[in-house]
């Protein structure tokens, strides 16, 4: 039996996701949702598209793809140090069954992180895709930004780099049970770490979505400084080298996308016990990658949608 | 020469759209945008997807399609009575030229209505599409909702119904210069009318995106009442009948989508000189369409993406 659009939306989305948050005055179901922000708080908003064949392989189950799409959007809130409060979900689906599968994955991720689904739309599409918009809250003036690194700051990493790309490679080459595949299938937005970094006074942070080198370069450029990163300091570096060899490990860390680790900087003396020290900021420009102290060159660039 | 993703985004979006709004503390270019809401104000958020071949014909220029996509999203803010303050734009494009064309149309619409572009993303896609998320502001507790109509309220309309669907039909049948085609190509979000309705004390409003009958039914259901609408009272009704005949005119008004007129209700005695009185709310359920006082039956349903 064919379910109509409105029944389908009701079945797949209404009442799913996290519980009602005080931020929301009027939730899903009207022309728009209505929200109130607590005094002294700022709102942080990010949006990300995830498309079949572009952001996930066509043979990945749609519920997993949708879970990943929500988690990658939430990672941007982690990078700012925000507590997530709301999500609006655009589901573009080839058929009703795809709506149901993407709805299941997306709302499961929202429920896992306690994020309320406050709006969205569902439309027929030639190809499956989601656009996920998320909002978070944090105290005024405390958002961590890309342009707040200072010369002399140490560079820190929460989470690991290179593992997601290695899992994707295994999946695409048929090693569906490869040792890194779980790192590809499950994205973990480091929300608690982002909040701890902000509370520790960190002012500069971003999440690693386009590879460590490209994303470190964003901070270096926005903050007008140079950065050095020591690969041997990275969490999991030995495991990557042992499994992939040094050359591939370097490539995966520098240019592999979607790690969703948090890269941040802090003045010397700030202690971040839940992060790992991987480098330092200097006057100058550009990012230097070192391996056991020696500068190394890694040729390939990060992913470019229209390069 | 191929432009890279970041240059393309910079060329097509950075600094385009409306000017910086006080709502924004940190605009486009970081992991997320950061916002502060003035005391006593609430935030209204809506998101809409628009896809080639679904929401617009493939032979419509992409800049027009993107302009329409932004305007249809803004119409949801009009329906709530909000002043638009921010837009986040997901552009999904088959190639760089499509990014440029959609960017041009979307930012032109944002500039026309003074809405700041505060974030978004641009990705390669198998088919052109946009997801547009917009935010507006209004005084606490004043958002117009679907569930606030009361028995005895009069029903009012700002704008016209049936014209967009008639223009789309002309476009699809090759009458590219047809008399209604401009109503299809240009969507006008009735932002000023929405604010005037809210300021006049109207509590119940929605925009007509799925046809007058389907959308009136949303209000009737949400507010648990019945509604009667007199077609002959509609602005432009005579023009529709003269051009299309009564049967087609009825269909286009009742079920034609994307008119973006504002349908609202208000107690008897409230005067809305910029709107037209088209019906009345009663105890009961369902929506009755009348033509010159006689109840008429119109068989077809509104558009259903998965029906």
């Amino acid at each position: 039996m064919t379910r109509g659009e409105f029944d389908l939306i009701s079945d797949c989305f209404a009442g799913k996701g996290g519980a009602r948050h005080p931020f929301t005055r009027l939730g899903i179901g009207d022309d728009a949702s209505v929200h109130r922000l607590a005094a002294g708080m700022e709102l942080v908003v990010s949006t990300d598209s995830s498309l079949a064949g572009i952001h996930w392989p066509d043979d990945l189950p749609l519920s997993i793809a949708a879970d990943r799409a929500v988690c990658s959007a939430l990672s941007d809130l982690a990078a700012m140090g925000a507590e997530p409060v709301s999500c609006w979900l655009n589901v573009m689906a080839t058929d009703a069954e795809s709506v149901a599968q993407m709805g299941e994955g997306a709302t499961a991720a929202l429920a896992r992180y306690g994020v309320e689904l406050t709006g969205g739309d569902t439309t027929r599409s030639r190809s499956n895709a989601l656009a996920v918009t998320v909002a978070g809250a944090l105290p005024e003036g405390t958002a961590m930004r890309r342009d707040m690194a200072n010369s002399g700051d140490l560079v820190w990493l929460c989470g690991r780099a290179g593992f997601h790309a290695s899992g994707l490679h295994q999946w695409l080459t048929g090693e569906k049970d490869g040792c890194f595949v779980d790192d590809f299938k499950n994205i973990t937005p480091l929300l608690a770490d982002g909040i701890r970094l902000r509370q520790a006074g960190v002012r500069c942070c971003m999440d690693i979505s386009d590879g460590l080198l490209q994303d470190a370069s964003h901070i270096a450029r926005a903050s007008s400084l140079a950065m050095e990163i020591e690969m041997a300091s990275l969490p999991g570096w030995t495991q990557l080298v042992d499994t992939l060899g040094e050359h591939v490990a370097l490539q995966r860390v520098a240019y592999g996308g979607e790690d969703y680790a948090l890269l941040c900087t802090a003045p010397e003396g700030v202690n971040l016990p839940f992060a790992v020290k991987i480098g330092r900021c200097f006057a100058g420009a550009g990012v230097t990658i070192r391996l056991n102290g020696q500068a190394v060159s890694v040729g390939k660039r990060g992913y470019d949608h229209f390069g």
Side-chain angles (χ1 to χ4, degrees), chain A:
Chain A
M1 202 179 95
T2 306
R3 288 180 296 178
E5 177 185 352
F6 295 102
D7 287 345
L8 186 64
I9 291 171
S10 174
D11 287 356
C12 297
F13 301 106
K16 307 284 175 74
R20 172 63 57 99
H21 189 280
F23 175 60
T24 303
R25 314 304 291 192
L26 177 65
I28 205 164
D30 211 300
D31 285 306
S33 53
V34 181
H35 307 274
R36 212 174 282 181
L37 199 58
M41 300 297 277
E42 282 178 343
L43 191 70
V44 170
V45 180
S46 181
T47 189
D48 273 310
S49 310
S50 293
L51 285 69
I54 307 288
H55 296 87
W56 73 80
D58 285 308
D59 62 349
L60 187 71
L62 284 176
S63 60
I64 294 178
D67 190 308
R68 291 173 80 257
V70 167
C71 290
S72 74
L74 291 174
S75 176
D76 284 321
L77 299 184
M80 307 299 282
E83 179 220 347
V85 293
S86 206
C87 177
W88 301 266
L89 197 59
N90 303 89
V91 177
M92 295 158 260
T94 55
D95 54 28
E97 183 53 32
S98 299
V99 174
Q101 289 177 24
M102 287 193 278
E104 184 198 327
T107 57
L110 291 173
R112 197 160 63 246
Y113 295 102
V115 185
E116 183 184 0
L117 180 61
T118 49
D121 72 352
T122 303
T123 63
R124 182 175 288 282
S125 170
R126 290 165 178 166
S127 186
N128 288 312
L130 302 102
V132 184
T133 305
V134 289
L138 43 67
E140 284 179 6
T142 65
M144 300 186 293
R145 303 162 46 149
R146 299 179 180 190
D147 60 358
M148 298 292 277
N150 289 303
S151 175
D153 277 2
L154 298 181
V155 180
W156 299 77
L157 191 71
C158 292
R160 303 185 301 186
F163 283 69
H164 181 281
S166 300
L168 173 61
H169 180 81
Q170 288 179 330
W171 180 276
L172 291 175
T173 54
E175 280 189 74
K176 307 280 182 191
D177 296 321
C179 60
F180 299 116
V181 164
D182 278 347
D183 293 290
F184 150 66
K185 284 162 75 176
N186 306 312
I187 293 176
T188 303
L190 301 177
L191 290 159
D193 284 339
I195 291 169
R196 285 199 287 182
L197 290 172
R198 168 175 58 76
Q199 288 173 340
V202 170
R203 302 289 296 120
C204 175
C205 183
M206 72 178 294
D207 71 332
I208 305 300
S209 55
D210 295 327
L212 180 60
L213 182 55
Q214 183 153 300
D215 286 329
S217 301
H218 288 314
I219 289 184
R221 195 175 312 113
S223 297
S224 302
L225 47 72
M227 195 184 284
E228 286 194 358
I229 293 173
E230 169 56 58
M231 290 299 215
S233 303
L234 290 172
W237 173 252
T238 306
Q239 186 189 345
L240 284 181
V241 171
D242 288 349
T243 315
L244 307 168
E246 200 171 276
H247 176 74
V248 173
L250 273 172
Q251 291 281 335
R252 294 275 165 75
V253 171
Y255 302 118
E258 306 200 79
D259 280 310
Y260 302 105
L262 298 181
L263 180 69
C264 66
T265 80
E268 211 155 357
V270 173
N271 189 28
L272 303 170
F274 50 97
V276 172
K277 217 175 294 179
I278 63 165
R280 185 182 285 273
C281 299
F282 300 91
V287 176
T288 303
I289 298 282
R290 293 187 182 277
L291 181 56
N292 301 315
Q294 300 298 310
V296 290
S297 162
V298 270
K300 191 178 147 288
R301 298 190 305 147
Y303 187 72
D304 184 328
H305 278 276
F306 298 98

